[in-house]
Amino acid sequence: MVGAEEDVSAGRGPSGVTRRAIRTTLCACGAFYVCLYGLDRPVAATYALFAVVSMAALSRIPGTGGQRAALLVRTLPAVWMLLTAGTFLAVRTWTAVAGMLVIGFAIAFVAAAGPRAAGAAPGLQLLYILPCFPPYAPDTLGQRLGGATFGLVLLILAEKYLLPEPRGTTYRELAAGAAGMAARFAAELGRPPYTLPPAEVEAARTTGESLRPLHVEEAERPAGPGLRDRALAHTGLGARTLLGRLATLPPPPPGQPPLRTGRQLLETVGRSAAETGALLAGTGRATDEADALRRLREEVREAAEREPQPVAEVRGRRRAALLEVADAAVAFATAAELAVRGRRAPLPPGTDSGRFWYAGRRAPALWWHRLAAHAGPRSVHFQNAVRISLALAAARTVAGVESLPHGFWAMLAVLSLTRTTVSQTRATVRQALAGTLLGALLAAGVLALVGGHTTVYAAILPLVMLVAFMVGPVRGVGWAQGMFTLVVSFVFAQLAPVTWRLAGVRLMDVVIGSLIGVVFGLLAWPRGAQAELHRAVALLLAREAETVEATTAAVVAGRRDTAPDDRALQLALSLAESAYAQRQSEPRAPVAGAPDWQAAMITGHHVLWGSRRLLARAGPDLGPGNGERLTVRADGVAARMRSAAQHAATVPSAAAPASAPGAPSAGAPAAVGTAVGGTAPAPAAHAAPKGAGGGGAGAGGAAQVPEVVAPSEFFAAQTWLDSLTLDVERVLAPCRAPYPAEAETADSAGPSDPHQS
């Protein structure tokens, strides 16, 4: 279920709906009356009204009025191009259908660019549909463009200045709060007992949850393809990772104070986090502490390489964990600077250019990168675009061949009623047909009684439109279709003489459009994102396993690679994230055995980042003993990932009992890693071999193993593998839930660790 905050941000909360209904009614009726009665331009009046309705009522652009106004200004050139293309392609039915296939697909596919583009897409579709119907009248293009522009200018002004909504907490502000908490944690970890109390661990979990996309207002989610959006999303991930690394930092050996270099690292991490928080909050511009942390991190790494090898396990693991904290803080600071300064922020020397590949790139290249990544049948954005473009083309064919009067209403029904799953579409169509039937009966009665007295229609249109736009979003699609039937009947009654039969035409068109929507919903990916999510996450987990094995083999052999080819993992991660995002908008029946999708994707980020970090510092080879230990450990992690992939690939039945892949043996904990500071050992069946240092890096009571002496690279890789072990346990934890409702809760809420989302 969508949360209340998301409802408000998308304009669907009660107050947001009322504001939008008032703005839409005033702009649509005002533009319509000025053009029709003031200028005597019925064509301009039609396009003025429908331009407002398309971008204010049919579209669902998230954000405040100011944010929507800014987006509308940027879409004006696209509106002009669509109106022009539709006007000239209406010359023949086949040209209109071909245009619908191409342009309809392009508009729908742009939804891959994020929630703002997805919200504007339905309105843009309607602005192409409207002029692509007869009559073919290119001589009226000026009136069409003028009317649409006039209506949209009124809407832009109304969105900006009429009944403005307060803006919610921005993602930058949330990240700045997380930075302040990280600075406090770093200071506390530098004092005895060198661990965080349970209250701080819980605060870290809560703060991390607040940065999860599902808990952020839709308009504030950094989901776009641009540099700043990518960097801001990277900032949130860096903040969660830093909090998690600090919360699980192992303390020094009992009775021994931390080494000087460790204290210096933590102090510098704290100052860098505080500086980054000020940068995000807009109260500071300096990056000196982040630069100092980068230098100190390199000094510690170089000192570790010069130190006589091997080193004791306690010392090696503590240092590896501290370096992971420093790396997370550096990544957080770098991403934040990119998010604030954009292309003006240069990458500091030594920064992993693969991690921040988007730095310095222009918007067209980043848009192309996003769209190219989804240009294939495995992307849900591609699937949705194909489905809607085929359905619209079919509706346009029927309207052209059968010469349907007001045939664009059929296409509007396809556009507004088709959903991503066939079950959703069927349920929506049933409600829509019932509402349209009642609306048509009422409209027919009014048209028969009033006849040609246009003054009556002009007087009641604003009231009917206001009620339609207030009631429809709150009461559902049946009310929306019924009230909109009244609206269009009263609009067309003012444009030309009509009879009560107009209501019947409206009903017939909605029936035709609904049937086409159901047919194409049944033929084209009828299950929506469900099957694709299972497939995408299974592929992602398999790619993660391959990367773990390849990275470990390189570390064991001492092979460095500063530019590894991990494009396959990145593509799998992108497809899984888009499928997961769509799945959240679809009805989900509680099922047992579904893995934690969000945890699988965060594991992908951890694999990607950790692999690059280890490969950049690999060498020399670890020798036969330690190499074998690390290889066995990596093989175990990869095997667990492949087991999770096999389970994710199976779409469970709602009635199926929960299976328990890799369930803990007797005596093992039922839930692994449920607290930020806890690092429960891996299940007994997959425990690390003796001497490998397995069992977790935290201070939460991991099983003690014999002391190991090994090179520093061994402990860095081991710490990475330990964190991935806990990641995979989080992926599989919901699969052991005894009831379907618990599995669904895990699916919706995601992992509890702040660095795991």
Side-chain angles (χ1 to χ4, degrees):
M1 180 179 292
V2 180
E5 287 186 351
E6 290 184 335
D7 284 345
V8 173
S9 69
R12 290 187 291 272
S15 62
V17 167
T18 301
R19 289 189 181 99
R20 176 169 289 190
I22 293 173
R23 286 191 294 258
T24 304
T25 301
L26 288 177
C27 295
C29 291
F32 182 71
Y33 291 154
V34 168
C35 293
L36 182 61
Y37 297 110
L39 303 177
D40 193 23
R41 293 288 187 270
V43 173
T46 303
Y47 280 80
L49 183 142
F50 278 101
V52 174
V53 170
S54 64
M55 300 308 296
L58 186 60
S59 296
R60 281 290 179 263
I61 304 171
T64 63
Q67 291 172 312
R68 289 192 294 271
L71 181 64
L72 289 173
V73 170
R74 294 195 296 271
T75 59
L76 272 176
V79 170
W80 297 331
M81 288 188 292
L82 291 172
L83 290 174
T84 303
T87 297
F88 286 101
L89 289 175
V91 61
R92 297 284 188 276
T93 296
W94 73 266
T95 58
V97 172
M100 190 59 62
L101 280 171
V102 176
I103 296 176
F105 174 87
I107 295 174
F109 188 55
V110 170
R116 290 187 180 90
L124 294 175
Q125 294 274 23
L126 179 58
L127 288 174
Y128 170 73
I129 290 171
L130 187 62
C132 82
F133 276 88
Y136 172 64
D139 55 302
T140 65
L141 179 59
Q143 290 192 52
R144 294 177 177 185
L145 292 174
T149 303
F150 178 52
L152 290 179
V153 168
L154 288 182
L155 179 60
I156 290 169
L157 295 174
E159 292 281 14
K160 181 68 175 178
Y161 299 109
L162 182 62
L163 302 175
E165 306 103 328
R167 185 171 183 177
T169 304
T170 67
Y171 200 77
R172 275 179 57 172
E173 292 170 345
L174 292 173
M181 177 172 287
R184 191 176 73 249
F185 284 2
E188 192 160 348
L189 288 168
R191 301 188 296 265
Y194 309 110
T195 57
L196 297 177
E200 296 284 40
V201 171
E202 177 61 21
R205 188 198 69 80
T206 303
T207 301
E209 286 292 307
S210 71
L211 286 165
R212 289 169 60 94
L214 289 177
H215 297 162
V216 177
E217 293 184 13
E218 191 176 11
E220 302 299 338
R221 294 174 192 170
L227 189 153
R228 291 179 187 265
D229 267 6
R230 290 179 186 271
L232 195 53
H234 204 157
T235 299
L237 181 59
R240 297 192 294 274
T241 302
L242 177 58
L243 288 175
R245 296 291 185 259
L246 288 168
T248 58
L249 181 68
Q256 298 182 22
L259 298 177
R260 181 178 60 86
T261 54
R263 292 198 307 271
Q264 287 179 333
L265 264 180
L266 278 176
E267 290 170 359
T268 312
V269 164
R271 292 194 298 269
S272 174
E275 178 186 75
T276 302
L279 180 66
L280 289 167
T283 59
R285 302 291 294 175
T287 58
D288 297 339
E289 295 298 337
D291 294 335
L293 179 58
R294 293 184 182 94
R295 292 192 297 269
L296 182 58
R297 179 189 60 170
E298 296 308 310
E299 291 172 5
V300 173
R301 282 176 171 169
E302 291 171 0
E305 293 175 358
R306 293 193 303 268
E307 184 178 6
Q309 302 288 340
V311 297
E313 180 179 13
V314 173
R315 179 182 176 87
R317 292 178 68 85
R318 166 80 174 176
R319 182 165 56 197
L322 283 168
L323 286 172
E324 289 234 347
V325 169
D327 186 79
V330 166
F332 178 40
T334 304
E337 187 174 2
L338 288 169
V340 172
R341 294 175 177 157
R343 295 180 60 242
R344 294 176 298 168
L347 281 182
T351 301
D352 181 3
S353 59
R355 182 183 291 190
F356 300 99
W357 61 270
Y358 51 84
R361 298 206 179 183
R362 296 185 179 275
L366 294 174
W367 272 75
W368 175 257
H369 185 277
R370 170 69 65 84
L371 297 178
H374 289 278
R378 294 277 67 89
S379 167
V380 292
H381 296 300
F382 182 89
Q383 294 173 4
N384 293 337
V386 169
R387 181 191 299 112
I388 195 66
S389 63
L390 289 176
L392 289 174
R396 181 62 183 88
T397 302
V398 171
V401 171
E402 299 297 329
S403 299
L404 290 180
H406 299 290
F408 80 95
W409 286 346
M411 298 188 68
L412 180 58
V414 171
L415 187 62
S416 58
L417 302 181
T418 302
R419 299 295 186 263
T420 57
T421 66
V422 68
S423 59
Q424 277 184 290
T425 302
R426 281 199 299 260
T428 301
V429 164
R430 285 196 298 269
Q431 299 174 41
L433 291 179
T436 304
L437 175 60
L438 294 177
L441 291 175
L442 183 57
V446 174
L447 292 173
L449 290 174
V450 176
H453 299 287
T454 57
T455 305
V456 176
Y457 301 122
I460 64 176
L461 176 62
L463 178 61
V464 174
M465 186 177 291
L466 180 63
V467 173
F469 295 144
M470 288 181 62
V471 173
V474 176
R475 299 299 299 271
V477 68
W479 281 85
Q481 289 292 322
M483 294 302 300
F484 193 68
T485 298
L486 291 174
V487 169
V488 296
S489 298
F490 298 159
V491 166
F492 281 91
Q494 297 176 67
L495 294 171
V498 296
T499 67
W500 62 269
R501 293 183 177 84
L502 178 67
V505 172
R506 162 73 178 169
L507 179 61
M508 177 184 66
D509 286 339
V510 172
V511 170
I512 292 173
S514 299
L515 292 176
I516 292 173
V518 170
V519 169
F520 280 91
L522 181 64
L523 296 178
W525 298 283
R527 301 183 67 178
Q530 178 180 356
E532 199 57 54
L533 178 61
H534 282 266
R535 185 184 298 110
V537 171
L539 176 62
L540 173 62
L541 288 164
R543 292 284 184 263
E544 292 171 8
E546 295 170 1
T547 304
V548 165
E549 291 175 333
T551 301
T552 304
V555 172
V556 168
R559 297 194 306 270
R560 292 196 179 193
D561 188 354
T562 57
D565 185 5
D566 44 30
R567 287 172 295 180
L569 177 58
Q570 292 185 41
L571 179 59
L573 185 57
S574 175
L575 294 178
E577 287 176 336
S578 63
Y580 177 73
Q582 177 172 307
R583 182 62 175 150
Q584 294 302 310
S585 68
E586 298 173 349
R588 300 188 299 277
V591 293
D596 190 327
W597 309 115
Q598 186 79 353
M601 284 171 269
I602 298 307
T603 303
H605 284 289
H606 287 174
V607 170
L608 190 63
W609 287 15
S611 171
R612 284 183 165 272
R613 184 172 61 250
L614 290 172
L615 291 175
R617 292 287 172 179
D621 68 89
L622 301 182
N626 290 322
E628 182 181 356
R629 292 188 185 96
L630 200 63
T631 300
V632 171
R633 182 79 170 123
D635 289 345
V637 174
R640 293 288 285 164
M641 288 176 171
R642 291 193 173 95
S643 174
Q646 292 176 358
H647 194 71
T650 303
V651 182
S653 167
S659 59
S665 58
V672 180
T674 56
V676 174
T679 53
H686 298 275
K690 292 192 72 174
Q704 298 298 314
V705 295
E707 185 76 1
V708 172
V709 290
S712 299
E713 291 79 8
F714 172 87
F715 295 113
Q718 185 188 71
T719 300
W720 177 58
L721 293 173
D722 287 346
S723 68
L724 294 181
T725 299
L726 295 179
D727 286 347
V728 179
E729 288 304 315
R730 294 183 183 99
V731 174
L732 292 174
C735 302
R736 307 185 186 104
Y739 304 108
E742 295 186 22
E744 181 63 14
T745 299
D747 182 17
S748 302
S752 59
D753 247 334
H755 69 283
Q756 286 295 107
S757 60

